[in-house]
C-alpha cells in the first residue's frame, strides 16, 4: 500500500514570521478561520516543526531571524515543502536592499512555492498551499539541507553547537 | 473473554479515531464550517507513518511508546469488566510515564508541558477516585462487569455525573480546562519533542483517553444500556458545546475549580448515599 497519497490529505502547517509587517500573517489566520476554512482539506496550524509538513514563511528575512529560519527548517522531518507568502518573502519587496534585510528567504532555504501579493490574499494562500501539496506528493524522504547554514556568522564565537541541529548529520561526521 | 471483546480491544485505536473525527466535524458544524472528513485522524496517522523518523533520545521515545501501550491496557481492562480501582491506577501510571517522557529531554517547553500535565492530574485524579467510591456505595461493587449487570441507579448518582461533566474536558484536554494542551502558546507542551511515527502513538493515545473518560459515564447507568448510550451521546454534545463557547482558563484556576467543585459535588453524593 502506498502511503504517498495520504500526504496531501493531512498537511500540517508551521507558520513562521521572519520580520513581516503582520499583513500576511493576518491573511494566513483569515484562511484558517471559519470563512475560508482550511481545515476542510485536513490542514492544521500545528506550530511545532517536528510534526509539520508545510513551512509557511512570511516577511523579508531580517538579519536576526535567519538563524531561527534555518533552525526551524532543519527540525522539520522530510518530506517537507516551503511556501514563501508575500512579496517580501519572495524578493524582499519594499524592504529590498535595506541594510538589515536579506532580500527573500531563498538565499537560505530552498523554496517550493512563491505566493506574490502585498499582502497575499487568503485565496492566493489557499491556491499556493494546494500547489505545495502537489509538490509534497512527489517528494522523497531524502534529507533536504538548507543552502547556507548560518550565513557569515562565526559559529565558534556565537557559541552555536552544531550537534543540536536535527537535519545536519553529514556535517557532524566531518 | 469472548471473541467480540477481543476484537473490540484489538481495534480500539482504529475505531476510537472516528470519535476524534466526529468531534472535529461536530466542532466545525457548530462554527458553521464544512470541517474535515470523518476519516481525518486516520489520514493523519497514515501521513505520520510516511515521515522520516526523528528521535531526540531513546528513553523519550520508549516512554512515549509505553504510555500508549499502558493506555491500551487500560481500555482492554475496561472492556473485560475489571476492577475500577485497578483501571484508575493503571491510567495514572500511564500519565506518569508520559510526564517522565516530557522530563527526559532538555527542551524547556517539554518540561513546562510536563508540569502542566502534573497539575491537571492533581486536579482531576482525586475527583475520579471519589467517583469510584460513590459508584461502589450505590452499586456495591468495584467490578465493572458486576456494575453493568445490576439494575440502574442513575438518579442516586446524579451529582457524580455532574462531577464527571466537569472533569471530562480536563481528561480529554478540551477547553476551558485544556491548559496542559495550550498548543500555540507553549508549542504543544508535553508532545513537542515527538516527531513523525513516534508522535503517532501519542496521537492515538488521545483517542484511547476519550474511551477511558466516556466509559465512566456509561457505567453510571448500570444495566440500562440505552440510558448509558444516551448519556454518552449527550455528554459528547455538551462537552463539545462548552469547548466551543468558552476560552481557556489559567492553570491555577483550573486546579481550584476542578478540584474544589468536583470534590464538593461527589462528596454530596457520597454523603447522600451513606446517610
Amino acid at each position: 500500500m502506498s502511503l504517498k497519497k495520504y500526504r496531501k490529505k493531512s498537511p500540517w502547517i508551521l507558520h513562521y514570521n521572519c520580520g513581516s509587517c503582520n499583513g500576511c500573517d493576518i491573511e494566513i489566520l483569515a484562511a484558517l478561520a471559519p470563512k475560508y476554512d482550511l481545515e476542510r482539506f485536513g490542514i492544521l496550524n500545528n506550530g511545532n516543526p517536528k510534526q509539520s509538513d508545510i513551512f509557511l514563511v512570511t516577511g523579508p528575512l531580517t538579519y536576526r531571524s535567519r538563524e531561527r529560519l534555518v533552525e526551524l527548517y532543519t527540525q522539520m522531518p522530510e518530506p517537507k515543502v516551503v511556501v514563501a507568502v508575500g512579496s517580501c518573502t519572495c524578493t524582499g519587496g519594499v524592504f529590498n536592499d535595506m541594510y538589515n534585510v536579506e532580500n527573500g528567504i531563498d538565499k537560505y532555504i530552498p523554496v517550493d512555492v512563491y505566493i506574490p501579493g502585498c499582502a497575499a490574499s487568503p485565496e492566493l494562500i489557499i491556491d499556493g498551499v494546494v500547489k505545495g501539496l502537489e509538490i509534497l506528493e512527489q517528494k522523497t524522504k531524502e534529507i533536504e539541507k538548507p543552502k547556507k547554514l548560518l550565513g557569515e556568522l562565526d559559529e565558534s564565537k556565537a557559541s552555536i553547537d552544531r550537534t543540536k541541529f536535527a537535519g545536519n548529520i553529514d556535517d557532524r561526521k566531518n | 473473554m469472548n471473541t467480540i471483546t477481543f476484537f473490540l480491544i484489538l481495534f480500539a485505536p482504529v475505531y476510537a479515531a472516528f470519535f476524534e473525527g466526529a468531534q472535529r466535524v461536530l466542532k466545525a458544524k457548530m462554527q458553521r464550517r464544512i470541517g474535515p472528513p470523518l476519516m481525518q485522524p486516520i489520514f493523519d496517522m497514515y501521513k505520520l507513518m510516511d515521515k522520516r523518523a526523528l528521535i531526540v533520545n531513546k528513553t523519550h521515545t520508549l516512554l512515549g511508546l509505553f504510555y500508549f501501550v499502558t493506555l491500551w491496557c487500560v481500555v482492554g481492562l475496561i472492556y473485560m469488566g475489571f476492577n475500577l480501582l485497578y483501571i484508575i491506577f493503571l491510567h495514572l501510571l500511564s500519565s506518569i510515564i508520559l510526564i517522565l517522557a516530557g522530563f527526559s529531554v532538555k527542551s524547556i517547553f517539554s518540561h513546562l508541558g510536563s508540569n502542566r500535565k502534573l497539575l491537571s492530574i492533581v486536579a482531576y485524579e482525586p475527583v475520579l477516585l471519589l467517583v469510584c467510591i460513590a459508584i461502589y456505595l450505590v452499586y456495591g461493587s468495584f467490578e465493572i462487569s458486576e456494575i453493568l449487570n445490576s439494575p440502574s441507579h442513575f438518579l442516586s448518582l446524579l451529582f457524580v455525573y455532574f462531577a464527571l461533566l466537569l472533569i471530562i474536558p480536563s481528561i480529554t484536554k478540551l477547553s476551558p480546562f485544556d491548559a496542559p494542551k495550550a498548543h500555540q502558546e507553549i508549542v504543544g507542551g508535553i508532545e513537542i519533542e515527538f516527531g513523525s511515527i513516534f508522535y503517532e502513538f501519542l496521537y492515538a493515545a488521545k483517542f484511547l483517553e476519550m474511551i477511558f473518560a466516556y466509559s465512566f459515564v456509561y457505567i453510571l447507568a448500570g444495566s440500562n444500556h440505552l440510558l448509558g448510550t444516551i448519556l454518552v451521546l449527550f455528554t459528547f454534545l455538551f462537552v463539545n458545546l462548552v469547548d466551543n463557547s468558552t476560552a481557556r482558563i489559567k492553570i491555577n484556576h483550573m486546579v481550584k475549580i476542578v478540584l474544589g467543585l468536583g470534590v464538593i459535588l461527589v462528596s454530596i453524593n457520597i454523603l447522600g448515599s451513606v446517610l
Side-chain angles (χ1 to χ4, degrees):
Chain A
M1 185 176 66
S2 171
L3 293 174
K4 271 193 173 182
K5 62 178 175 183
Y6 292 103
R7 281 179 192 168
K8 70 173 180 186
K9 289 197 172 180
S10 86
W12 289 358
I13 283 178
L14 173 67
H15 168 212
Y16 177 57
N17 173 348
C18 51
S20 164
C21 66
N22 274 334
C24 295
D25 306 287
I26 290 167
E27 302 297 336
I28 286 174
L29 292 178
L32 290 163
K35 188 176 178 187
Y36 294 97
D37 188 23
L38 267 185
E39 206 193 344
R40 68 180 190 267
F41 302 121
I43 294 176
L44 278 184
N45 190 5
N46 199 278
N48 185 348
K50 293 194 174 172
Q51 296 150 10
S52 303
D53 311 284
I54 296 182
F55 194 17
L56 276 187
V57 190
T58 58
L61 189 60
T62 55
Y63 211 66
R64 289 299 237 172
S65 63
R66 55 195 186 145
E67 285 169 42
R68 278 81 177 174
L69 178 84
V70 173
E71 201 166 334
L72 285 174
Y73 180 76
T74 48
Q75 277 180 3
M76 284 173 71
E78 286 79 6
K80 59 190 173 189
V81 161
V82 179
V83 179
V85 181
S87 307
C88 302
T89 325
C90 301
T91 61
V94 287
F95 304 109
N96 200 327
D97 278 345
M98 272 169 73
Y99 68 97
N100 60 341
V101 157
E102 296 278 348
N103 294 346
I105 59 168
D106 51 3
K107 277 184 183 176
Y108 282 85
I109 57 176
V111 178
D112 297 291
V113 181
Y114 295 89
I115 301 176
C118 180
S121 64
E123 290 91 345
L124 268 178
I125 292 171
I126 293 171
D127 279 354
V129 170
V130 170
K131 184 75 190 166
L133 294 181
E134 289 170 19
I135 297 168
L136 187 70
E137 216 178 1
Q138 289 151 13
K139 287 216 169 183
T140 58
K141 279 196 260 185
E142 273 179 43
I143 295 175
E144 293 177 58
K145 282 199 246 174
K147 288 176 180 170
K148 285 184 197 173
L149 195 62
L150 289 163
E152 294 86 46
L153 263 181
D154 189 341
E155 287 174 21
S156 55
K157 278 180 190 167
S159 71
I160 289 159
D161 188 5
R162 270 168 167 261
T163 54
K164 283 181 183 167
F165 284 80
N168 205 17
I169 296 161
D170 292 344
D171 287 330
R172 223 180 290 168
K173 280 175 192 165
N174 302 332
Chain B
M1 188 171 70
N2 56 23
T3 330
I4 299 170
T5 323
F6 177 73
F7 281 107
L8 271 178
I9 296 169
L10 192 67
F11 293 107
V14 180
Y15 64 77
F18 286 97
F19 293 147
E20 169 80 8
Q23 189 162 313
R24 279 174 73 173
V25 170
L26 188 68
K27 272 186 206 170
K29 296 290 178 214
M30 282 180 181
Q31 294 167 0
R32 290 191 185 174
R33 290 190 283 128
I34 297 169
L38 196 64
M39 292 273 284
Q40 188 58 47
I42 306 267
F43 296 153
D44 290 347
M45 284 162 86
Y46 276 137
K47 182 219 51 181
L48 286 167
M49 257 187 241
D50 196 30
K51 302 276 283 179
R52 190 165 67 83
L54 283 179
I55 296 179
V56 180
N57 62 45
K58 280 179 194 165
T59 325
H60 181 245
T61 313
L62 262 181
L63 285 174
L65 184 61
F66 282 159
Y67 164 63
F68 172 68
V69 172
T70 327
L71 211 53
W72 204 346
C73 290
V74 170
V75 172
L77 291 183
I78 290 173
Y79 281 125
M80 281 149 70
F82 256 62
N83 197 314
L84 267 181
L85 288 176
Y86 289 166
I87 288 165
I88 283 188
F89 287 122
L90 200 59
H91 179 257
L92 183 63
L93 178 72
S94 76
S95 311
I96 285 169
I97 290 172
L98 181 64
I99 288 162
L100 284 178
F103 279 128
S104 70
V105 288
K106 279 184 177 175
S107 158
I108 50 165
F109 292 113
S110 189
H111 289 196
L112 190 61
S114 286
N115 283 327
R116 280 164 175 259
K117 177 79 180 164
L118 262 176
L119 278 173
S120 88
I121 287 176
V122 166
Y124 73 72
E125 203 66 36
V127 184
L128 211 53
L129 200 60
L130 285 175
V131 164
C132 279
I133 294 168
I135 291 175
Y136 174 78
L137 287 173
V138 171
Y139 284 106
S141 173
F142 280 123
E143 306 281 330
I144 293 182
S145 50
E146 282 181 34
I147 295 169
L148 287 180
N149 282 327
S150 44
S152 175
H153 295 293
F154 174 66
L155 281 179
S156 45
L157 284 169
L158 196 61
F159 283 95
V160 167
Y161 177 64
F162 292 149
L164 278 176
L165 280 184
L166 197 67
I167 61 171
I168 280 177
S170 163
I171 297 174
T172 53
K173 300 189 192 89
L174 296 171
S175 64
F177 305 123
D178 61 340
K181 190 170 146 195
H183 36 268
Q184 283 287 302
E185 291 83 348
I186 56 167
V187 265
I190 210 160
E191 296 158 355
I192 176 175
E193 295 297 327
F194 288 95
S196 57
I197 193 161
F198 305 109
Y199 178 61
E200 192 172 330
F201 296 116
L202 267 80
Y203 196 63
K206 276 184 209 164
F207 318 148
L208 295 180
E209 292 259 18
M210 280 176 76
I211 294 189
F212 169 77
Y214 285 106
S215 65
F216 273 86
V217 178
Y218 188 80
I219 60 175
L220 286 187
S223 62
N224 195 343
H225 296 293
L226 181 67
L227 179 64
T229 317
I230 291 170
L231 275 180
V232 167
L233 286 177
F234 174 75
T235 315
F236 188 69
L237 275 173
F238 180 78
V239 163
N240 280 302
L241 184 67
V242 170
D243 178 44
N244 259 335
S245 51
T246 51
R248 180 180 305 138
I249 58 169
K250 286 182 182 172
I251 191 93
N252 49 347
H253 293 154
M254 171 183 163
V255 176
K256 276 178 199 162
I257 294 172
V258 173
L259 193 58
L261 212 56
V263 167
I264 289 169
L265 280 171
V266 187
S267 302
I268 292 171
N269 210 124
I270 288 176
L271 278 176
S273 35
V274 169
L275 295 175

